[in-house]
Amino acid sequence: MRFSKLVIVAVLSFPAVGAVCANAQSASQSDSAPKLEHFDLNLIDKSLDPCTDFYQYACSKWIAANPIPADQASWGTESGLQYWNENILREAMQKAAEPASNRSGYEQEVGDYWAACMDESGIEAAGSRDLKPELERIAAMKNKSQLAEQVAHLHMIFPGAWQGDDNQTRAALLGFGSQQDFDDATKVVAGIDQGGLGLPNRDFYLKDDAKSKEIRAKYEIHISKMLAFSGESAPQAAADAKTILAIETAMAQAQMDNVARRDPKNLNNKMSLAQVQALTPSFEWKRYIEVVGAPPSSPHYLVTSPQFFRNLETLIQQHSLHNWKVYLRWHLVHGSAAYLPKAFVDENWEFYAHTLVGAKAQQPRWRRCVRAADRDLGMALGQAYVAAAFPPASKQRTVTLVHDVEHALDQDISGVDWMQAATKEEAKTKLHAIEDKVGYPDHWRDYSSVKITRNSYVDNVHEATAFEFHRQLSKTGRPVDREEWGMTPPTINAYYDPQLNTINFPAGILQPPFFDSGMEDAVNYGAIGMVIGHEITHGFDDEGRKFDAQGNLRDWWTPADAKAYDERGQCIADEYTQEIPEAGVKQNGHLTQGEDTADNGGLRLAFMALGNRLQAESKSVDAKEGDGWTPRQKFFLSFANSWCTQVRPELMRTQVLTNPHSIPKYRVNNVVSNMPEFQEAFSCKKGTPMVRANQCRVW
């Protein structure tokens, strides 16, 4: 997600990040009207036993009727919504691209961005023209002391350095951005993160199994091809690819692993600029900061992984100037690939979309352009989306849902028997301080300084990236902007920010199948209610619980309550540490513990909220209705329906190794098998697979 913080922001996420799209029969191949998925009880496979495999019971018929399109790495009930949302954005961009004398500023930017991105013939004619001056800049380096200046320049022109979370591990050499201070969330300081990789994370370089070796071999070939496209001879490109893989492997070895990064205490390393410089004497930090235009960070910088930078110093000294030029050239070409002629685009797709996630065909260009525009000008495009797709009534009903689920957590905290009164009081103080953000920001971002033209797609990306990078850096030393959003309105996702103590639900996810204004409460509480509960629970998962109501990293737990919490969290981690046969790898339950805790707590809170709502209306969750189902049953069926997804093995493997979320099947079955409320819904007997002998529960 586009967020500047170095601490992990808890997001809902889907397995098809960057790959979900359209209606199964037509979305990828035509411009026919998209279809949204609505919860349908006729898709329940009653020939199966819900107590044996609830995911199959709820999803098998839908999955059989919706094969994964060739240009997708996964396909779920939310995929039609992704296509529907993108069509709204496409229509807005096409309209903005039409010649008109009265176009507003943001319409001009959005329209010209669209025109440049869709101009395939112009992009082909330009070839690597726009890459040439950047390659020459790198070639002109005289010594390694210029490394900081060159890295700074790359950070300003390509998305990555400011994006936050584990995206920063893939920025050239390192990540740099602004963030709230861990110990005083009212302050914004500069954060410095590990980086440097071209593969998804360090495990791809370090694992020694056959599949990992195969991927590394294909990655080396990919690097070689891309360098050859940029003008190197084939023998030189092959040699340079080996150099790049060696450098990145050494960086991967130096990086903090993704489980350790989940503990904010491990990231809270305060240093003066002189101390940062002492970590890497060969990297001129003052020059880097000067080039990117970052304000001074007072009273300190946050360095997430000091050991990485100590090892980086050794790496800088070990490799020659030539090798560093090779490394920078690769990251330039890699960062540019999606915006260059077809040869670059196709090879980039071949490795990153086909090899790593299993897509069989490329998505149509218009979809790629919409997504790039949403990344680069998303708060401008978001205005058009909200106007077309998110009426005030939808926002109000969502706000009511949020309040209902928050009240359920208040009840839950009161009722748990493993927390002492003092800790419960602190927990409720934090809960009541959570700020709810629904749909879209109160104030839209001003893009008037971004110079977008129809002349060059890659130049537009550079311009938008520089704007956003500088916007992020300018926060350093200024009061925290509590109104800012980290996701654009059309995004199908949600997140909890532990340092702002906010929950955020973009308008893009407040649509069917998650939120459906035409559906009864049981359906909406099962789908979007679980999403709401998931994000609220993140404030009290194993990571979020370490922050207080003001967003400060502070231990507000009594030792006994912290121990009781950790025991419950360990139950979750143990349960989700499991072989994933479909992916051929084992899931690390400590990596997914926070998200798994949020899934379990989120669904339980949503069910409590539904019960309270129906009780207030003198209704029962167990009263059989005219369709033959009870609200309790429809709640769980709607929850499962919102996660019905097929995932290609390649993407599944990549997700299990890198993503803190479990795959959809386990996000459903592992959760319901922990819930007596589910077993009562379907009369599941003790000993059946959906009745876990050791049921885990934190919230």
Side-chain angles (χ1 to χ4, degrees):
M1 58 169 285
R2 273 79 71 192
F3 206 76
S4 64
K5 299 193 174 186
L6 303 185
V7 62
I8 298 174
V9 174
V11 299
L12 180 70
S13 190
F14 295 94
V17 173
V20 294
C21 82
N23 177 268
Q25 300 305 318
S26 60
S28 301
Q29 306 301 329
S30 74
D31 292 336
S32 61
K35 298 177 182 178
L36 292 176
E37 292 285 346
H38 296 270
F39 177 66
D40 185 356
L41 288 165
N42 293 318
L43 290 176
I44 307 305
D45 190 345
K46 296 180 182 179
S47 69
L48 300 178
D49 181 1
C51 302
T52 298
D53 187 334
F54 186 61
Y55 183 77
Q56 287 299 312
Y57 178 75
C59 295
S60 59
K61 287 178 71 173
W62 186 93
I63 288 173
N66 292 274
I68 306 177
D71 64 355
Q72 300 302 303
S74 71
W75 193 253
T77 48
E78 87 291 341
S79 299
L81 173 57
Q82 183 75 28
Y83 183 60
W84 189 78
N85 286 356
E86 289 175 1
N87 262 274
I88 291 174
L89 300 184
R90 173 172 66 164
E91 290 172 4
M93 295 182 77
Q94 287 175 328
K95 182 178 180 181
E98 295 173 357
S101 59
N102 61 343
R103 288 193 302 171
S104 67
Y106 92 81
E107 288 175 330
Q108 176 269 313
E109 290 162 333
V110 166
D112 289 354
Y113 190 103
W114 172 261
C117 183
M118 291 297 291
D119 183 14
E120 291 186 84
S121 60
I123 291 170
E124 290 300 318
S128 57
R129 175 196 66 199
D130 297 322
L131 203 61
K132 187 176 180 181
E134 303 298 338
L135 290 167
E136 291 174 346
R137 176 192 291 268
I138 293 170
M141 288 177 65
K142 302 297 184 185
N143 51 64
K144 285 189 280 187
S145 66
Q146 295 175 289
L147 186 61
E149 181 175 341
Q150 294 299 327
V151 170
H153 180 71
L154 286 180
H155 286 179
M156 288 192 295
I157 64 175
F158 293 120
W162 49 266
Q163 287 187 343
D165 301 347
D166 282 338
N167 283 322
Q168 289 189 312
T169 66
R170 298 191 291 277
L173 206 69
L174 56 94
F176 189 87
S178 62
Q179 72 167 96
Q180 287 170 261
D181 188 61
F182 283 114
D183 296 322
D184 184 355
T186 65
K187 295 179 179 178
V188 180
V189 297
I192 302 172
D193 200 10
Q194 61 192 24
L197 310 185
L199 287 171
N201 78 355
R202 68 192 297 271
D203 288 349
F204 279 77
Y205 296 86
L206 307 182
K207 281 185 173 292
D208 205 35
D209 59 280
K211 187 64 178 179
S212 296
K213 291 178 179 178
E214 176 190 340
I215 288 174
R216 287 196 292 272
K218 290 183 177 180
Y219 179 54
E220 185 178 319
I221 293 170
H222 166 68
I223 296 171
S224 177
K225 289 181 177 179
M226 295 293 276
L227 292 177
F229 290 152
S230 71
E232 291 190 11
S233 67
Q236 185 62 53
D240 287 347
K242 292 185 182 299
T243 297
I244 291 159
L245 186 56
I247 290 175
E248 290 187 356
T249 299
M251 289 182 179
Q253 291 169 334
Q255 286 191 356
M256 184 186 297
D257 69 75
N258 53 10
V259 173
R261 283 174 65 84
R262 292 198 65 255
D263 187 344
K265 293 179 181 178
N266 292 335
L267 310 179
N268 189 20
N269 305 296
K270 304 179 184 68
M271 293 188 175
S272 67
L273 185 58
Q275 289 173 315
V276 173
Q277 186 62 65
L279 289 176
T280 49
S282 299
F283 188 85
E284 297 190 2
W285 281 101
K286 287 185 178 179
R287 181 57 179 156
Y288 175 91
I289 291 169
E290 178 185 0
V291 173
V292 299
S297 183
S298 178
H300 51 252
Y301 290 79
L302 284 177
V303 182
T304 60
S305 179
Q307 188 57 47
F308 172 81
F309 289 96
R310 294 186 187 97
N311 291 356
L312 181 61
E313 170 62 21
T314 301
L315 200 57
I316 292 173
Q317 293 184 16
Q318 284 179 342
H319 283 272
S320 66
L321 174 63
H322 168 79
N323 286 359
W324 284 112
K325 287 183 178 181
V326 167
Y327 172 82
L328 294 174
R329 189 156 60 242
W330 156 239
H331 277 269
L332 168 67
V333 175
H334 171 56
S336 308
Y339 323 112
L340 293 172
K342 190 173 185 298
F344 290 90
V345 171
D346 288 353
E347 175 56 33
N348 191 60
W349 173 87
E350 177 65 32
F351 181 74
Y352 286 100
H354 178 62
T355 298
L356 287 186
V357 300
K360 307 302 181 187
Q362 286 195 54
Q363 292 188 352
R365 186 169 189 87
W366 74 264
R367 302 202 65 189
R368 290 177 266 150
C369 290
V370 164
R371 290 181 180 178
D374 182 51
R375 179 197 67 211
D376 290 342
L377 302 169
M379 288 303 177
L381 268 178
Q383 298 177 59
Y385 179 81
V386 168
F390 195 60
S394 292
K395 180 168 182 172
Q396 186 53 53
R397 191 170 175 189
T398 304
V399 169
T400 299
L401 273 159
V402 171
H403 291 165
D404 284 354
V405 179
E406 288 174 333
H407 176 64
L409 181 54
D410 187 285
Q411 290 178 294
D412 191 45
I413 293 170
S414 295
V416 296
D417 60 5
W418 53 271
M419 292 175 72
Q420 299 177 48
T423 310
K424 287 185 177 183
E425 184 177 350
E426 288 269 14
K428 287 197 174 190
T429 297
K430 179 172 182 176
L431 170 62
H432 298 156
I434 291 177
E435 184 178 347
D436 309 328
K437 296 180 180 179
V438 176
Y440 49 88
D442 292 333
H443 302 286
W444 296 103
R445 189 166 300 157
D446 179 8
Y447 291 98
S448 59
S449 64
V450 185
K451 297 178 177 59
I452 302 296
T453 73
R454 299 186 177 219
N455 300 329
S456 170
Y457 179 31
V458 70
D459 281 353
N460 287 344
V461 173
H462 291 175
E463 179 72 17
T465 301
F467 165 81
E468 180 61 16
F469 191 33
H470 290 138
R471 190 185 73 82
Q472 295 287 344
L473 294 180
S474 70
K475 299 176 188 178
T476 304
R478 294 166 57 186
V480 172
D481 181 4
R482 297 194 58 83
E483 295 185 353
E484 184 170 11
W485 280 62
M487 289 181 177
T488 64
T491 304
I492 305 174
N493 217 324
Y495 69 98
Y496 170 76
D497 185 323
Q499 291 187 274
L500 287 176
N501 197 23
T502 62
I503 47 176
N504 306 259
F505 306 100
I509 198 173
L510 300 176
Q511 315 288 348
F514 299 101
F515 173 79
D516 195 330
S517 59
M519 288 287 178
E520 63 195 274
D521 283 337
V523 173
N524 280 319
Y525 280 72
I528 197 63
M530 178 272 179
V531 172
I532 294 167
H534 174 102
E535 299 309 334
I536 294 171
T537 304
H538 270 311
F540 304 88
D541 68 14
D542 64 303
E543 182 178 14
R545 77 173 188 85
K546 295 173 182 176
F547 294 87
D548 65 17
Q550 287 72 46
N552 299 316
L553 185 59
R554 178 176 70 85
D555 187 359
W556 46 271
W557 294 71
T558 67
D561 289 347
K563 180 181 178 182
Y565 185 100
D566 289 342
E567 289 171 352
R568 284 158 175 76
Q570 188 62 48
C571 182
I572 294 283
D574 290 343
E575 177 181 312
Y576 284 82
T577 297
Q578 57 190 333
E579 295 291 342
I580 309 296
E582 308 96 311
V585 288
K586 187 174 184 177
Q587 177 170 305
N588 184 343
H590 287 285
L591 172 61
T592 62
Q593 182 180 343
E595 299 298 337
D596 298 332
T597 300
D599 283 349
N600 280 268
L603 190 63
R604 191 172 287 108
L605 294 177
F607 183 75
M608 290 174 63
L610 173 64
N612 291 339
R613 173 62 54 183
L614 293 181
Q615 185 178 34
E617 299 171 358
S618 300
K619 298 177 182 178
S620 169
V621 293
D622 294 313
K624 187 170 289 190
E625 299 180 333
D627 52 23
W629 301 87
T630 67
R632 181 193 295 264
Q633 291 171 327
K634 284 185 279 189
F635 170 88
F636 286 108
L637 289 167
S638 175
F639 156 65
N641 174 79
S642 67
W643 291 103
C644 295
T645 308
Q646 298 181 81
V647 184
R648 297 194 191 277
E650 297 90 343
L651 174 59
M652 193 180 299
R653 181 182 187 277
T654 298
Q655 179 179 349
V656 172
L657 291 176
T658 65
N659 198 295
H661 302 82
S662 297
I663 62 174
K665 173 182 175 181
Y666 300 104
R667 295 189 79 164
V668 173
N669 283 351
N670 282 13
V671 172
V672 299
S673 64
N674 281 325
M675 293 183 65
E677 299 89 341
F678 167 79
Q679 288 126 44
E680 186 175 342
F682 294 95
S683 301
C684 297
K685 305 299 183 184
K686 186 177 180 180
T688 57
M690 294 297 99
V691 181
R692 192 175 293 273
N694 180 30
Q695 294 187 332
C696 299
R697 175 172 180 173
V698 180
W699 303 107

